[in-house]
Amino acid sequence: MRLVVARCTVDYTGRLEAHLPEAFRLVMVKADGCVAVHADGGAYKPLNWMNAPNVLDDGPDRWTVTNSRGERLEIALLDVLSDVSFELGDDPGLTKDGVEAHLQQLLADRPDTLADGLKLVRREYPTDIGPVDLLCRDSHGTYIAVEIKRRGEIDGVEQLRRYMDRLDRDPLLRPVHGIFAAQRIKPQARVLAGERGIDWVEIDYDTLRGRESDELRLF
């Protein structure tokens, strides 16, 4: 991971246009290629970012990040206070809580809960940035990546989009579609999912558990 603290301006062009005027900010470049610009506030969400895969041209005074979708992020570095890099190594990933892990198990057993005709290929399908919860195929043979959360927020949508981009690199899988599943999905996450070409489904956990109980009865 590379961390740069600098007085900078940031300009984004692509789906829309955005400009960040001159100020001190943190620019983060992750090992997977994701570039994110943070302010000293605003919690975890970056002011602007460019997900991988992309191309970074990191000149001494100006960085340009582009991707295959025609998006462009330009960062003008006016005064660099710090530029450091760290090797963090492999991350074991997030440990899911009991409800989220059980949701994954239930949906793996009944993927048609998410969409008619959906069949499971594998749970925890590996990518080089972490495993996608479920990889399925629909009735047309299209591969579907499924990310499962207890609470559906925009971070989960972006996580799924990154997995889809990785899976799309495999000619045997692409084009990969996505389903974002959660007990409750926030309106912002629904909007972002639509913009990213991802379907979303709200899951009734209690109903799934009830179906499980019914199927386990002997009489």
Side-chain angles (χ1 to χ4, degrees):
M1 179 180 292
R2 184 178 179 185
L3 303 173
V4 177
V5 178
R7 183 164 53 88
C8 62
T9 63
V10 183
D11 289 279
Y12 166 82
T13 55
R15 291 171 287 107
L16 47 82
E17 293 189 1
H19 172 72
L20 293 173
E22 181 179 323
F24 280 103
R25 300 183 179 93
L26 168 66
V27 183
M28 178 186 301
V29 184
K30 295 185 178 180
D32 66 358
C34 175
V35 179
V37 181
H38 291 265
D40 193 11
Y44 61 89
K45 186 177 179 181
L47 299 171
N48 217 323
W49 67 93
M50 184 81 80
N51 288 330
N54 60 51
V55 177
L56 169 61
D57 179 7
D58 53 343
D61 301 319
R62 179 176 296 271
W63 290 10
T64 303
V65 191
T66 55
N67 64 21
S68 60
R69 296 187 292 273
E71 296 175 289
R72 184 181 185 92
L73 189 69
E74 291 195 53
I75 305 170
L77 303 174
L78 307 175
D79 184 13
V80 177
L81 301 184
S82 176
D83 185 348
V84 294
S85 297
F86 301 94
E87 291 290 340
L88 301 185
D90 294 334
D91 190 278
L94 181 69
T95 301
K96 300 178 183 294
D97 64 26
V99 172
E100 194 169 306
H102 196 208
L103 263 176
Q104 185 188 117
Q105 177 184 335
L106 291 171
L107 291 172
D109 292 339
R110 289 184 288 276
D112 59 342
T113 303
L114 299 168
D116 291 340
L118 208 62
K119 296 185 181 297
L120 178 70
V121 175
R122 178 173 170 176
R123 287 180 64 182
E124 300 288 340
Y125 190 90
T127 77
D128 57 357
I129 58 172
V132 63
D133 289 336
L134 305 179
L135 184 67
C136 302
R137 293 186 79 176
D138 66 13
S139 57
H140 303 290
T142 301
Y143 285 94
I144 311 292
V146 181
E147 183 64 26
I148 301 166
K149 301 292 184 186
R150 188 166 52 140
R151 292 184 295 273
E153 302 184 11
I154 57 175
D155 277 3
V157 176
E158 293 288 17
Q159 180 182 0
L160 176 55
R161 183 66 256 181
R162 291 194 294 271
Y163 288 147
M164 292 166 61
D165 289 341
R166 280 305 201 265
L167 294 171
D168 261 335
R169 297 180 179 183
D170 187 338
L172 298 179
L173 299 179
R174 65 173 178 255
V176 178
H177 293 184
I179 296 178
F180 185 54
Q183 289 179 271
R184 293 290 180 269
I185 300 178
K186 291 189 174 182
Q188 301 94 323
R190 298 180 185 182
V191 172
L192 185 61
E195 291 182 353
R196 296 289 191 264
I198 294 170
D199 294 329
W200 58 267
V201 179
E202 287 192 332
I203 302 299
D204 189 324
Y205 179 56
D206 291 331
T207 298
L208 275 178
R209 293 179 67 194
R211 286 177 59 188
E212 178 187 46
S213 299
D214 291 342
E215 290 173 6
L216 291 176
R217 290 175 183 168
L218 296 178
F219 305 100

